[in-house]
Amino acid sequence: MMEKRTFIYLILGAILALCPLVLNPYWTDVLNNIGLYAVLGLSLNLIVGHAGLFNLGHAAFYAVGAYTAAILNTRFHIPVLTLLPLCALTAGLFALVVAKPIIHLTGDYLCIVTIGVGEIVRIALINNVFGLTGGANGIFGISRPNLLGFVIRKPHEFFYLIWFFVAVTAFFFHRLENSRFGRALNYLREDETAAEGSGIDTAHYKLMSFVIGAAWAGMVGNIFAAKMTIISPESFSFWESVLMFTLIILGGSGSIPGVLLGAFLVIGLPEIFRGFTNARMMLFGAAMIAMMIFRSGGILPARPRRYSLPQARQGQGGGA
């Protein structure tokens, strides 16, 4: 079964890699946006899908990474890609500071607080915090990524950078969800009281899920800033967090293939039906309602975990 899935993923990857050769720059850029939201979805999926925490302020960490890259690049001319680890660090530290006092909250309470965090960050950016963020106009003149002397400018060049990042992210989170850390997150998602009774430090694991997810969102912010060369607070509104949350629920919470499919549906389908103007959002909303009624687990929900039990000792049991 694993070999079959690997073969399918390789075929899909090969088809995707050929897309820039047959698509025009507009549709290639649509695929680039799908890739960015796929990574954002995977980073949020660790918090929502695995830890079971309602986070509707993920755009705040995305913004911290983007503004870290923009400020350091425009003021000190540090290459954008060199700043990837620092963007992850700043977004992760911000998540640590913000989440530590609220990590004990659950359900609707945590959801409301994270919405507030996202709005506080956006309003602080609009008000030109510390005179660094450029206010409502944002920051201009961010340099393009430079990879071994090659400056990435065109949509098809960004395509390979972004989708390589998607592949690395999917591999990382696949390994993480099958690690001890990932199993602990699933325990506390299913039954936090039982997980704590089993000796799992639930507060620590929930906090680490926030930090890791935020760090990854910060790196996406770096690539987004380099792609656009200009960022403003409106790029990190509450709607962005809603899109990330929606693609997880639609594709399948806790499922990496589901999140990738959700990114294609939530970001790609509105572009396909752009000619229908306002009707496309009505159709999209109707599809979401139908999904929640008939397939609440998402299109590709996560498969139940199976653990192999140790074999019984020879001679035990009813057999002779």
Side-chain angles (χ1 to χ4, degrees):
M1 182 63 72
M2 182 63 70
E3 291 181 358
K4 183 179 179 181
R5 287 210 306 266
T6 303
F7 178 73
I8 293 172
Y9 293 154
L10 289 175
I11 294 296
L12 292 175
I15 294 172
L16 190 64
L18 295 174
C19 285
L21 304 179
V22 296
L23 296 178
N24 60 35
Y26 172 78
W27 285 108
T28 301
D29 199 50
V30 170
L31 286 177
N32 291 342
N33 290 333
I34 291 171
L36 290 175
Y37 276 94
V39 180
L40 286 169
L42 289 171
S43 67
L44 181 59
N45 187 48
L46 182 69
I47 302 169
V48 174
H50 291 291
L53 304 173
F54 287 170
N55 174 15
L56 271 174
H58 206 57
F61 311 128
Y62 179 34
V64 169
Y67 271 87
T68 298
I71 292 169
L72 294 178
N73 177 259
T74 54
R75 290 178 177 265
F76 302 104
H77 308 291
I78 303 173
V80 175
L81 291 182
T82 306
L83 292 168
L84 270 172
L86 187 58
C87 291
L89 180 63
T90 53
L93 286 175
F94 178 69
L96 182 66
V97 171
V98 167
K100 194 172 181 61
I102 65 171
I103 203 65
H104 64 282
L105 299 176
T106 58
D108 299 342
Y109 300 102
L110 180 63
C111 184
I112 292 169
V113 171
T114 56
I115 292 172
V117 169
E119 285 302 290
I120 288 169
V121 169
R122 186 181 65 85
I123 293 169
L125 295 174
I126 291 175
N127 285 280
N128 196 17
V129 60
F130 302 126
L132 297 173
T133 64
N137 292 325
I139 299 176
F140 299 79
I142 304 164
S143 65
R144 300 286 193 179
N146 189 317
L147 193 61
L148 301 177
F150 177 76
V151 179
I152 300 173
R153 299 179 183 278
K154 299 179 180 179
H156 72 274
E157 295 167 350
F158 270 103
F159 175 89
Y160 293 108
L161 172 65
I162 290 170
W163 281 94
F164 173 75
F165 190 39
V166 173
V168 171
T169 302
F171 176 77
F172 172 78
F173 283 109
H174 172 73
R175 298 288 295 177
L176 192 65
E177 75 178 28
N178 289 287
S179 67
R180 181 179 179 182
F181 179 83
R183 291 194 297 271
L185 289 184
N186 282 296
Y187 295 158
L188 68 91
R189 179 193 64 196
E190 296 299 330
D191 192 328
E192 184 174 344
T193 303
E196 195 163 2
S198 300
I200 295 174
D201 187 346
T202 56
H204 170 77
Y205 279 100
K206 288 194 289 187
L207 186 61
M208 286 301 102
S209 71
F210 256 97
V211 170
I212 295 171
W216 223 263
M219 289 193 285
V220 182
N222 175 296
I223 295 176
F224 173 77
K227 176 178 176 291
M228 302 303 295
T229 71
I230 173 176
I231 57 171
S232 67
E234 293 309 309
S235 298
F236 310 100
S237 64
F238 172 63
W239 176 244
E240 299 300 312
S241 294
V242 171
L243 283 179
M244 299 174 209
F245 196 88
T246 301
L247 68 89
I248 292 172
I249 302 303
L250 182 63
S253 180
S255 166
I256 291 176
V259 171
L260 297 178
L261 177 61
F264 273 96
L265 295 177
V266 172
I267 306 302
L269 280 185
E271 294 298 327
I272 294 173
F273 294 106
R274 180 169 286 276
F276 292 94
T277 59
N278 292 333
R280 66 194 175 111
M281 297 311 296
M282 181 182 70
L283 293 172
F284 181 72
M288 284 293 298
I289 293 171
M291 278 295 304
M292 292 302 98
I293 294 173
F294 298 108
R295 197 172 176 85
S296 58
I299 299 174
L300 293 175
R303 296 183 177 185
R305 285 179 175 267
R306 294 181 178 179
Y307 300 101
S308 57
L309 297 175
Q311 294 181 352
R313 295 180 183 175
Q314 188 174 5
Q316 284 187 340

